[in-house]
């Protein structure tokens, strides 16, 4: 009986140490996957946008005819060309999206990622977060997209 209790004691100690680490690893993998997915979508649409004749916005922020933009929301994003929605994606429960500069999407402001015909873009950092874990999808001035564990150095 004492042997069973000792074994149970060691198993519970091991579980108390291992379970939080496994949970953290799961969060990291989920964020890595979501950040990679968003970066891949941005790179894919950047290439698409570069083939367009024009990628200008009109003065009220609605995509001009033929222009394509990626709209960021607190719980996901959508890709639009003109007034047509090409893709709408909702992040998994518990994963949130925000971005540096401009308004805060959690307060209802919308973020726009706009690639010009040349592939250039306004620099932006998109932050995916779950719990304390964060991943940064960074778009630089020339339109390169990368994923980082840390925010960009300005």
């Amino acid at each position: 009986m004492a042997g069973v209790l000792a074994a149970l004691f060691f198993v519970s100690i091991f579980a108390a140490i291992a379970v939080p680490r496994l949970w953290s690893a799961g969060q990291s993998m989920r964020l890595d996957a979501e950040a990679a997915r968003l970066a891949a979508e941005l790179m894919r649409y950047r290439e698409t946008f570069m083939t367009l004749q024009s990628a200008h916005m009109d003065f009220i922020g609605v995509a001009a005819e033929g222009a394509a933009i990626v709209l960021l929301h607190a719980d996901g994003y959508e890709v639009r060309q003109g007034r047509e929605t090409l893709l709408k994606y909702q992040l998994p429960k518990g994963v949130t999206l925000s971005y540096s500069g401009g308004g805060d999407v959690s307060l209802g402001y919308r973020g726009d990622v706009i690639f010009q015909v040349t592939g250039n873009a306004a620099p932006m950092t998109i932050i995916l977060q779950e719990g304390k874990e964060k991943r940064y999808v960074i778009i630089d001035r020339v339109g390169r997209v990368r994923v980082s564990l840390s925010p960009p150095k300005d």
Side-chain angles (χ1 to χ4, degrees):
M1 184 68 167
V4 172
L5 287 176
L8 200 56
F9 174 75
F10 286 115
V11 167
S12 62
I13 294 291
F14 175 74
I17 294 170
V19 169
R21 289 185 182 173
L22 290 174
W23 179 259
S24 178
Q27 280 184 332
S28 292
M29 289 180 358
R30 183 173 26 252
L31 275 178
D32 288 342
E34 290 302 324
R37 178 188 174 98
L38 176 56
E41 291 291 349
L42 289 168
M43 288 185 279
R44 176 179 165 216
Y45 287 107
R46 176 183 182 253
E47 295 299 319
T48 301
F49 301 167
M50 288 173 64
T51 65
L52 299 174
Q53 294 297 316
S54 172
H56 296 289
M57 297 291 288
D58 66 20
F59 68 97
I60 58 171
V62 177
E65 195 63 38
I69 58 175
V70 178
L71 305 175
L72 305 174
H73 308 285
D75 62 348
Y77 53 90
E78 63 184 287
V79 178
R80 301 191 79 193
Q81 182 172 357
R83 300 201 184 281
E84 178 186 354
T85 299
L86 304 176
L87 168 77
K88 201 170 204 175
Y89 183 73
Q90 186 163 355
L91 294 167
K93 187 175 181 175
V95 177
T96 60
L97 183 151
S98 60
Y99 63 96
S100 65
D104 181 357
V105 290
S106 65
L107 297 175
Y109 295 102
R110 188 184 74 216
D112 298 341
V113 180
I114 306 166
F115 292 101
Q116 299 172 359
V117 175
T118 60
N120 294 353
M124 176 182 264
T125 301
I126 302 167
I127 305 157
L128 295 173
Q129 182 170 354
E130 182 176 19
K132 293 181 181 180
E133 291 277 331
K134 291 183 181 180
R135 294 298 178 273
Y136 301 87
V137 179
I138 302 165
I139 306 165
D140 68 14
R141 194 172 313 282
V142 296
R144 287 185 297 246
V145 179
R146 65 183 174 92
V147 176
S148 177
L149 295 173
S150 56
K153 297 176 183 165
D154 293 324

